[in-house]
Amino acid sequence: MIKNTLTETSLSTKDFFYHLPESQIAQTPAEPRDSSKLLVLHKDSGKTEHRVFRDILDYLNEGDVLVVNDSKVIPARLYGIKESTGIDIEVVLLRSRGLDVWETLVRPGRRCKPGTVIVFGDGLLRAEVLETVEGGNRLLKFTYEGDNLFSILDRVGHMPLPPYITEKLKDKSRYQTVYAREEGSAAAPTAGLHFTEELLDRIRAKGVRIAPVMLHVGLGTFRPVKEDKIADHEMHSEFISVSKETADIVNNRTGRLIAVGTTSCRVLESAADENGILHPVTDDTQIFIYPGYRFKITDALITNFHLPESTLLMLVSALTDRETMLRTYEEAIEKGYRFFSFGDAMLIQ
């Protein structure tokens, strides 16, 4: 388990509050992907520029390395019935424990004690509750007819969109990056949603390497910080992986290291040593990055606009400072940027 060792600060959760008009919470993705707005924040001066996302090419140079999270979102929300009574049960897959056993969020949980059987998709998929674990989540053992669980989920599952998105997603692929590869996330690494295959090709043609890492995003990403002091907050655990090939690309770069999304940034900072060398790793991480953190390897970050008082807003604030970040968010609100998962993007460099 990888954790960070930060000196506690006096920052409070309420220090990261801002007011966002509900009308600026993006309900649908931009079309095409790379037509979203791009706010460029120069972290040392605090100056900003306002562009379109496809203009990201103007800010990338030969020798730079772009690190992307290639985890794939699974249709992790399931609607079923309790076999013994027929009552409706909602299940959200959070994390694989292997051998078709998953840690899940179950509603209503009080109706699902160990031994309970839940049926989905007219019997295509069944699950038995094994036990209750920390936080009230349930371990479920799935059984099905077919090659693998993911093929069944494609038929009976629904994309686990965040609660602030109320419109139905017409195309599942729009909550998926174009480079998504390995199933396992319960939420999308949303900074990557802005890239198209064509834009990635143009980036490569400029001499920029694109290197994948993997972090399976859990719903803990949306868990609010309940503690008054942010240093008292404990991050949820997430599974990460860095290959030797990616580590070699990163360590032999001649330019900057640019993380696509907070998930890629957390992987890099978890797997790098104090000398800024990235190591291959397969592990869990609970790294919590907030102002006061000294970045070991990340030079720049492509990210979306995050919820008030969230750990993600705290992370991006660590790249510059809290006051600059909140001032930049206010500027984005004034200029009509769209926020959160399907919203516009920011480059912090």
Side-chain angles (χ1 to χ4, degrees), residues 150-166:
F150 296 123
S151 65
I152 302 296
L153 291 178
D154 282 337
R155 297 169 65 182
V156 303
H158 302 263
M159 282 299 189
L161 295 179
Y164 49 76
I165 295 178
T166 57

Side-chain angles (χ1 to χ4, degrees), residues 100-162:
D100 291 327
V101 174
W102 282 74
E103 183 177 344
T104 66
L105 178 67
V106 177
R107 296 191 183 100
R110 67 183 184 280
R111 300 291 185 92
C112 294
K113 297 178 180 179
T116 299
V117 174
I118 308 169
V119 181
F120 310 93
D122 295 325
L124 281 174
L125 183 64
R126 298 165 62 86
E128 180 182 353
V129 179
L130 299 182
E131 61 178 290
T132 301
V133 295
E134 185 179 359
N137 295 336
R138 303 302 198 271
L139 287 188
L140 266 58
K141 170 71 174 180
F142 288 91
T143 55
Y144 48 88
E145 295 288 337
D147 293 337
N148 59 67
L149 177 60
F150 296 123
S151 65
I152 302 296
L153 291 178
D154 282 337
R155 297 169 65 182
V156 303
H158 302 263
M159 282 299 189
L161 295 179

Side-chain angles (χ1 to χ4, degrees), residues 255-270:
R256 298 170 303 160
L257 185 62
I258 302 157
V260 177
T262 56
T263 58
S264 297
C265 178
R266 292 181 66 228
V267 174
L268 291 171
E269 294 300 314
S270 296

Side-chain angles (χ1 to χ4, degrees), residues 11-163:
L11 287 173
S12 298
T13 301
K14 65 175 182 281
D15 291 327
F16 293 87
F17 178 80
Y18 68 91
H19 175 71
L20 178 71
E22 189 173 337
S23 61
Q24 286 180 248
I25 300 175
Q27 294 295 317
T28 56
E31 198 61 56
R33 290 173 182 259
D34 59 0
S35 66
S36 52
K37 293 182 180 180
L38 174 68
L39 190 156
V40 180
L41 171 62
H42 298 272
K43 59 186 178 183
D44 293 333
S45 67
K47 292 182 178 179
T48 57
E49 300 176 63
H50 301 279
R51 306 288 292 270
V52 176
F53 190 80
R54 64 179 66 96
D55 295 338
I56 195 78
L57 199 65
D58 296 340
Y59 299 91
L60 302 176
N61 304 308
E62 183 177 356
D64 288 346
V65 172
L66 210 58
V67 174
V68 301
N69 179 10
D70 65 0
S71 180
K72 190 173 186 178
V73 187
I74 59 175
R77 178 166 275 118
L78 298 166
Y79 298 100
I81 59 171
K82 185 175 177 179
E83 187 176 53
S84 60
T85 64
I87 67 166
D88 293 333
I89 302 291
E90 178 185 354
V91 171
V92 178
L93 308 185
L94 299 178
R95 181 169 182 164
S96 173
R97 294 293 188 91
L99 300 176
D100 291 327
V101 174
W102 282 74
E103 183 177 344
T104 66
L105 178 67
V106 177
R107 296 191 183 100
R110 67 183 184 280
R111 300 291 185 92
C112 294
K113 297 178 180 179
T116 299
V117 174
I118 308 169
V119 181
F120 310 93
D122 295 325
L124 281 174
L125 183 64
R126 298 165 62 86
E128 180 182 353
V129 179
L130 299 182
E131 61 178 290
T132 301
V133 295
E134 185 179 359
N137 295 336
R138 303 302 198 271
L139 287 188
L140 266 58
K141 170 71 174 180
F142 288 91
T143 55
Y144 48 88
E145 295 288 337
D147 293 337
N148 59 67
L149 177 60
F150 296 123
S151 65
I152 302 296
L153 291 178
D154 282 337
R155 297 169 65 182
V156 303
H158 302 263
M159 282 299 189
L161 295 179

Side-chain angles (χ1 to χ4, degrees), residues 296-307:
K296 296 180 284 188
I297 194 169
T298 306
D299 298 310
L301 175 68
I302 298 169
T303 187
N304 281 17
F305 293 90
H306 304 294
L307 276 72

